Amino acid sequence: MTLIDGKAIAQQVRNEVREQVAEWVAAGHDAPGLATVLVGDDAASAVYVGNKQKACAEVAIQGFDHRLPVDATEDDVKRLLHELNADPKVSGILLQLPPPKHLDGPKLTEEIAPGKDVDGLTPISTGLLHKNLPGLRPCTPLGCMELLKRHDVDLQGAEAVVVGRSDLVGKPISALLLQANATVTTAHSRTRDLDEVCRRADVLVAAVGVAHLIKGDWVKEGAAVIDVGMNRLDGKLTGDVEFDSAVERAGLITPVPGGVGPLTVAMLLRNTLQAAKDAA
Ligand code: NAP
């Protein structure tokens, strides 16, 4: 069994982005820029935004940290997003979700210009993904694919089961696996015999948000198991997979924490560089 070291792989990706940004700037271009927009004062969201800004600084991507008060209106947020859409220094825009309750996060996200949608969550980015056309893909699903790629998991004709069908994680992962020629089953809360469905999987991706839903004996011998889940259980961060029993059967498995999580910000940096290049 091989334990996937998400931290190490994320660091490799960050190092590659840093080198590619340096080459881009040496070729006479402006450094790529990432604008983050945080509405309100949610402590967890502020930490996430802070981490993204810090990660930008480490790879010499310019960070633009925009904060709006908790009572900002839909028009206030839209106005800022439109300004950022028009700003040539800004290659990518990230609206930190969820915004305060009176605002509709997914609807506001639609205001981001498709070429700057580094989170890959606008309907246009989603359409490009599902048509397999060039565009920016969602970061966490990209991170899952990167983990499989760096471990040379052969996806051609593989049975892949994705548990979860959210727009943020489950659906885009399913689309990316399908494009990699896996045979994909997307399971969800109404799926019958989930244990049997999971046992078919050469590649099993859990993106549910229920601690230890996926039992060790649901894992096929030798399968690659990617656990996207981030749940609090007895004060500890834990995944959707019952890790201690799943390691007995998996060929390859991500821990939580330290698996998929670190890849999300690394892929955001990569998307920001891609957006800058695409805009040039
Ligand atoms: P979500 O929007 O709540 O979607 C959860 C999905 O799981 C839904 O499709 C739901 O099915 C399905 N589901 C719920 N209970 C189930 C059950 N008992 N059996 C089978 N399927 C079930 O969550 P999300 O945003 O996709 O996030 C999923 C997990 O990933 C969370 O733990 C989240 O914290 C984590 N996450 C991690 C990262 C990261 O590592 N960077 C990023 C994003 C999310 P229905 O559609 O039928 O309701």
Side-chain angles (χ1 to χ4, degrees):
M1 193 280 305
T2 305
L3 193 62
I4 297 179
D5 186 344
K7 267 191 180 168
I9 294 175
Q11 191 56 54
Q12 284 168 19
V13 173
R14 286 172 182 232
N15 293 345
E16 288 162 14
V17 173
R18 192 191 315 110
E19 283 164 23
Q20 289 161 12
V21 167
E23 285 167 17
W24 181 247
V25 172
H29 301 281
D30 289 339
L34 176 70
T36 52
V37 177
L38 175 62
V39 187
D41 45 18
D42 179 71
S45 293
V47 170
Y48 295 143
V49 165
N51 287 342
K52 288 165 190 173
Q53 286 293 337
K54 216 170 105 202
C56 283
E58 280 167 18
V59 301
I61 286 177
Q62 299 179 77
F64 305 103
D65 185 353
H66 292 271
R67 310 261 167 148
L68 291 175
V70 68
D71 58 355
T73 64
E74 188 179 316
D75 279 346
D76 294 333
V77 184
K78 280 186 180 174
R79 203 172 307 116
L80 174 58
L81 293 175
H82 294 167
E83 275 171 34
L84 297 171
N85 283 343
D87 185 342
K89 292 194 293 299
V90 173
S91 322
I93 303 169
L94 181 138
L95 175 64
Q96 185 65 40
L97 300 176
K101 284 207 167 51
H102 66 284
L103 296 171
D104 180 340
K107 191 165 159 237
L108 284 169
T109 299
E110 291 179 20
E111 301 297 321
I112 297 172
K116 298 192 178 191
D117 176 24
V118 283
D119 241 353
L121 295 177
T122 63
I124 290 180
S125 297
T126 304
L128 294 171
L129 164 65
H130 286 275
K131 292 200 68 123
N132 201 10
L133 292 170
L136 294 159
R137 310 302 193 216
C139 299
T140 301
L142 270 185
C144 295
M145 297 304 286
E146 195 65 28
L147 295 177
L148 294 169
K149 190 169 150 202
R150 302 239 175 187
H151 280 274
D152 293 322
V153 175
D154 186 7
L155 296 172
Q156 292 277 338
E159 286 280 347
V161 172
V162 179
V163 189
R165 57 172 166 180
S166 70
D167 290 336
L168 182 65
V169 197
K171 277 190 219 157
I173 292 180
S174 294
L176 291 170
L177 287 165
L178 189 61
Q179 279 159 22
N181 293 326
T183 302
V184 182
T185 302
T186 309
H188 46 78
S189 66
R190 319 282 169 88
T191 297
R192 259 184 280 128
D193 304 323
L194 184 63
D195 53 342
E196 286 306 325
V197 173
C198 290
R199 283 191 188 102
R200 291 206 302 263
D202 302 311
V203 176
L204 179 59
V205 181
V208 182
V210 177
H212 300 176
L213 174 76
I214 312 284
K215 309 298 173 209
D217 68 352
W218 298 11
V219 173
K220 183 177 173 177
E221 207 69 53
V225 179
I226 304 290
D227 191 351
V228 187
M230 290 202 323
N231 314 291
R232 286 257 156 225
L233 189 68
D234 304 328
K236 270 193 177 156
L237 191 62
T238 188
D240 292 340
V241 178
E242 206 176 64
F243 183 84
D244 290 348
S245 50
V247 283
E248 302 293 329
R249 297 169 70 99
L252 195 64
I253 188 166
T254 54
V256 178
V260 176
L263 265 294
T264 300
V265 173
M267 302 321 282
L268 175 68
L269 299 174
R270 189 194 270 180
N271 272 355
T272 304
L273 173 60
Q274 184 192 324
K277 289 185 171 178
D278 291 348

